[in-house]
Amino acid sequence: MTAYLLRRTAFLVVSLLLAAAVLFLLLRLLPGDPANSLLSVGATPDQIEAARHQIGTDRPLPEQFVSWLGQLATFDLGESFVSTLPVGPEIAARLVVTVPLTLLSFVLAVVVAVPVGFVAAHKANTWYGSILSGVSQLGIAVPVFWVGMLLITVFSLSLRVLPAGGFPQDDWADPVKALTSLTLPVVTVALVMSASLIRYVRSATLDVLGSDYLRTSRALGSSFARAMWRHGLRNAVVPVISILGIELASTFLGAVVVESVFALPGLGGMLVKGLAQHDYPVIQGILFVSTLVVLVIGFVADLVQRLIDPRLRHSLARNAR
């Protein structure tokens, strides 16, 4: 297990380095000059060159990349070209909105998807089982921002029961007000995420329902509920664990997109503003942190899956020998 952890950690570090290189290069390929964001319209070539020198974009790309890696090694995401404020603390302040939105959406998606996916599998041959499967397929095809705008139209503009966007300026000083502001964004992300998760839960449950060990347990006199609890649940959970990791990462990325729809002061708004201003440190910082979150979630999900499934642990032991 120790050797496996070391391999996975090394893979995580290499993946982060490759992601950092790709992010750095792609940003430099985007049209536009960050120096223009610091100057007024009609700036002279000398002023533009001075602005490039000020923010360091006149240096060779390899030198800029190595400098950025050096900052990352010291947990420094740099300073914004426009505001000159440190990017790290600004991202941390925005996570006060993004992290609760992600976690609440993920929990709601799981609470909805697990029972619905089980029913869709257990009653696969009934009309309502087919409807549940069809609705989940439809939900996967619907863009998350479209769901958000639809909910705003219904609950904010028509019924006027929930705010259309925004977040309290004092953050979580008033939890009720903050949760009210996050209600529609949470439901938006959860609906889209639960649609794909329902399919995976349904598929895993169908595999268990058709297994020999479950039929044998039933033949020996166990009730369906007892057989599923003792033998089916653990086997159904193993493949779902890895999917939950992917869904949690997708929920985080979906939350960043939805923040722009609901005008939330999270990473999404910060990213959109950074892109508009060609603020490389802000864009790099947000995308790097997002990549790190996704990779860490995948690492933890893989580890939990191996701890739960004895077959994976035994395969590790055989490989070690």
Side-chain angles (χ1 to χ4, degrees):
M1 193 66 179
T2 303
Y4 168 76
L5 288 175
L6 291 175
R7 288 197 304 271
R8 286 290 297 169
T9 303
F11 177 78
L12 179 66
V13 173
V14 172
S15 299
L16 279 176
L17 290 175
L18 290 176
V22 171
L23 290 175
F24 181 86
L25 291 176
L26 288 179
L27 279 180
R28 270 61 185 181
L29 294 176
L30 292 177
D33 190 341
N36 292 330
S37 300
L38 306 178
L39 303 170
S40 58
V41 178
T44 65
D46 290 339
Q47 291 174 326
I48 294 176
E49 190 60 35
R52 289 173 181 163
H53 181 73
Q54 176 185 341
I55 60 180
T57 55
D58 60 337
R59 295 180 297 168
L61 289 181
E63 182 181 342
Q64 294 182 48
F65 180 63
V66 171
S67 175
W68 184 48
L69 286 183
Q71 290 177 329
L72 293 179
T74 59
F75 306 100
D76 180 10
L77 296 177
E79 296 181 351
S80 167
F81 286 164
V82 178
S83 67
T84 69
L85 296 175
V87 174
E90 182 67 17
I91 289 178
R94 300 296 185 111
L95 288 176
V96 172
V97 176
T98 302
V99 170
L101 173 58
T102 300
L103 295 180
L104 291 173
S105 302
F106 178 72
V107 170
L108 181 59
V110 172
V111 169
V112 171
V114 170
V116 173
F118 176 81
V119 172
H122 185 43
K123 303 296 183 181
N125 296 324
T126 64
W127 62 270
Y128 54 89
S130 299
I131 289 178
L132 291 176
S133 299
V135 170
S136 67
Q137 293 283 358
L138 179 63
I140 295 173
V142 176
V144 64
F145 64 86
W146 186 86
V147 176
M149 291 188 292
L150 179 63
L151 292 179
I152 290 174
T153 302
V154 174
F155 293 99
S156 299
L157 301 181
S158 298
L159 300 179
R160 298 183 182 277
V161 293
L162 291 170
F167 196 75
Q169 292 185 350
D170 53 0
D171 292 332
W172 290 91
D174 186 348
V176 174
K177 189 176 181 181
L179 288 173
T180 302
S181 300
L182 290 181
T183 300
L184 285 184
V186 166
V187 173
T188 298
V189 178
L191 285 176
V192 176
M193 293 298 109
S194 62
S196 60
L197 188 55
I198 286 171
R199 293 180 59 246
Y200 292 114
V201 173
R202 180 181 181 274
S203 177
T205 305
L206 285 174
D207 290 340
V208 170
L209 292 176
S211 62
D212 292 334
Y213 57 81
L214 191 67
R215 284 195 294 266
T216 302
S217 178
R218 294 295 307 278
L220 293 175
S222 297
S223 64
F224 174 77
R226 181 177 176 82
M228 280 296 296
W229 178 257
R230 295 193 60 184
H231 305 287
L233 182 62
R234 188 169 188 175
N235 288 280
V237 164
V238 171
V240 173
I241 289 294
S242 60
I243 299 303
L244 286 178
I246 297 173
E247 288 299 311
L248 180 56
S250 300
T251 304
F252 177 78
L253 298 177
V256 172
V257 174
V258 167
E259 286 173 350
S260 299
V261 177
F262 290 93
L264 294 174
L267 290 183
M270 185 178 177
L271 178 60
V272 171
K273 184 177 179 181
L275 287 170
Q277 297 176 335
H278 296 89
D279 199 339
Y280 289 165
V282 170
I283 303 171
Q284 289 173 169
I286 294 174
L287 296 181
F288 182 81
V289 169
S290 301
T291 303
L292 176 62
V293 169
V294 170
L295 291 175
V296 169
I297 289 174
F299 175 82
V300 173
D302 190 45
L303 181 61
V304 171
Q305 188 179 24
R306 292 180 181 275
L307 292 175
I308 291 177
D309 192 347
R311 294 170 297 182
L312 296 177
R313 293 201 302 270
H314 294 160
S315 67
L316 286 176
R318 286 196 301 271
N319 293 335
R321 290 196 294 266

